[in-house]
Amino acid sequence: MALTLGRRSVGFRRAIRHMCLNSVKGQRLYSAVSKEERNSGNSGTGGVVVSERRGAVMVIGINRPEARNAVNNETAQKLTEELTAFDQDNSLNVAVLYGVGGNFCAGFDLKELAQGSGSLKIEQDVQRGPGPMGPSRMRLSKPLIAAVSGYAVAGGLELALLADLRVVEESSIMGIFSRRFGVPLIDGGTLRLPWLIGLSRALDLILTGRPVKAQEALTFGLANRVVPDGQALQVALELAEQVSAFPQLCLRADRNSTYHAAFDSSSFTQAMQYEIDHGLPVISAEAITGATKFSSGAGRGGIFSKSKL
C-alpha cells in the first residue's frame, strides 16, 4: 500500500555541480578525483548524491549543501541506489556516508514538501520499498560508517543510525528536531535509537526533541568517536580502511550475528545457535589460515600492540 502526499514535482533546483567539503583546516578534499577514477565505477560527480571508490571502500556523500543536505525524493532514490550497489559489489568491504559542505543531513526536505514542489510517496509495506529517507529500511550485509559534521537531525539522525559506527565532529548537533513539526520517526528511529542507547535515553530524545552535542552523544553511545571539526570524513575513511583490512568472512559473520541477536532472535538459545551455525564455516574458510600465519610468526608482530582503532 503506497501513500502519496503533495503534488507532482514541476522541477528541482539542481544541486551544486562540484563536490566541495568544509574548508576547515584538516578537512580532506574528496572532489579531487582523477578522470580515470571517475570513468571506472564512480556514479555521479555533481548530482544530489556523489560517490567515490577508494580501494575496497565506497565513499558516498549527500550533495545538497544549500539545504543542509536535507533529503528530497531524488536524493532518497540515489542514496538507495548507491548503498544497494555497494552491498552487492563483492569487491567492496566498507562504505562511508557523509554530507557535503559541513552538515551531515537535516532530515527530509520539509520546505520542498510544504511548497508542493515534490510528491512524497511512502510505501507502507516495509518489505516492498525504500523508506522516505531512502535506504533506512535496508539491512546491509557489510559495515557502514557515518562521518557526522554539523547537523544530523530528524531523518538525518535516522540515516546516521543506519550506520554501524558514527564518527562525530565536536561541534555537531544531533536530535529529533522533527518533534517540533509533528513529523514522526518512520525511518527506523524508534527501532535503532533505543537499541543503541537504551530505552530511557531514547525516550528523552524522542519526547523532547532536544539537541544533543557530540560529547553527550559519545557518553550515550550514539557517537563512537568524537573528532575535531573538519576531520570526521578523514577519520571515518581511515577507520573504514582498517576495518576493511581484516578477514572479511569472519568480520561479517560476527557482525551479522550481533544484529541477529539484537533484532531477530526470540531467545538466548536461538541467538547462540545462529552464532555457531554462521561461525563454523569461517573456521575452515579463514581461521585456519589465520592461525597458521600466527603460528609461523608472520602475524605476531602487531597483534598485541596498541590498536589504531
Side-chain angles (χ1 to χ4, degrees):
M1 177 180 179
L3 306 179
T4 303
L5 305 176
R7 297 177 295 182
R8 287 194 176 274
S9 174
V10 294
F12 299 107
R13 175 185 176 184
R14 291 295 178 187
I16 59 172
R17 290 296 175 184
H18 297 286
M19 183 180 178
C20 63
L21 301 179
N22 197 332
S23 59
V24 177
K25 184 178 180 180
Q27 179 65 63
R28 188 167 183 172
L29 188 64
Y30 283 97
S31 57
V33 184
S34 69
K35 183 177 180 181
E36 180 180 355
E37 286 180 302
R38 293 182 187 275
N39 291 335
S40 61
N42 288 324
S43 55
T45 58
V48 294
V49 173
V50 292
S51 66
E52 175 190 348
R53 178 171 181 149
R54 301 181 66 86
V57 176
M58 177 60 75
V59 187
I60 302 169
I62 305 171
N63 191 24
R64 301 189 72 223
E66 76 284 356
R68 289 181 176 170
N69 291 321
V71 169
N72 59 8
N73 291 322
E74 182 185 10
T75 310
Q77 178 182 346
K78 295 296 185 182
L79 281 173
T80 303
E81 291 172 356
E82 289 286 354
L83 282 172
T84 299
F86 156 72
D87 209 43
Q88 295 175 351
D89 190 332
N90 293 331
S91 66
L92 292 169
N93 293 335
V94 184
V96 173
L97 179 64
Y98 73 103
V100 173
N103 288 291
F104 181 74
C105 177
F108 190 80
D109 192 344
L110 297 182
K111 288 185 178 180
E112 180 176 280
L113 181 62
Q115 294 171 0
S117 62
S119 60
L120 174 60
K121 296 182 179 180
I122 304 177
E123 175 55 63
Q124 192 166 346
D125 186 340
V126 298
Q127 299 184 70
R128 295 183 59 185
M133 294 292 294
S136 55
R137 295 173 178 172
M138 295 179 69
R139 289 282 296 271
L140 295 170
S141 64
K142 297 178 284 189
L144 172 67
I145 299 173
V148 177
S149 59
Y151 286 98
V153 296
L157 176 58
E158 290 183 287
L159 282 183
L161 295 174
L162 175 64
D164 299 85
L165 301 172
R166 282 152 296 282
V167 178
V168 179
E169 293 183 0
E170 290 175 340
S171 66
S172 294
I173 300 293
M174 308 173 87
I176 314 297
F177 283 19
S178 51
R179 178 61 55 238
R180 298 158 173 77
F181 309 107
V183 180
L185 296 171
I186 53 176
D187 282 276
T190 63
L191 284 70
R192 294 187 176 105
L193 190 60
W195 178 67
L196 283 174
I197 67 174
L199 179 61
S200 179
R201 285 171 168 168
L203 285 173
D204 178 8
L205 304 190
I206 290 170
L207 296 179
T208 67
R210 68 179 180 85
V212 178
K213 296 182 179 179
Q215 287 299 327
E216 184 180 16
L218 182 64
T219 301
F220 278 7
L222 183 55
N224 299 95
R225 308 281 192 280
V226 172
V227 300
D229 289 352
Q231 294 186 19
L233 183 55
Q234 172 70 26
V235 173
L237 180 59
E238 292 172 354
L239 184 58
E241 290 172 342
Q242 292 174 45
V243 171
S244 179
F246 291 128
Q248 290 298 299
L249 291 178
C250 179
L251 182 142
R252 294 173 196 174
D254 288 349
R255 174 186 178 274
N256 292 339
S257 289
T258 302
Y259 275 114
H260 186 272
F263 290 116
D264 299 320
S265 294
S266 60
S267 67
F268 175 82
T269 300
Q270 187 183 77
M272 286 290 290
Q273 191 64 56
Y274 184 95
E275 181 186 72
I276 190 68
D277 288 346
H278 291 78
L280 276 179
V282 177
I283 301 296
S284 58
E286 285 184 345
I288 293 175
T289 300
T292 302
K293 181 179 178 181
F294 175 79
S295 298
S296 68
R300 295 182 188 177
I303 192 170
F304 296 116
S305 62
K306 189 175 181 180
S307 173
K308 295 181 180 179
L309 297 178

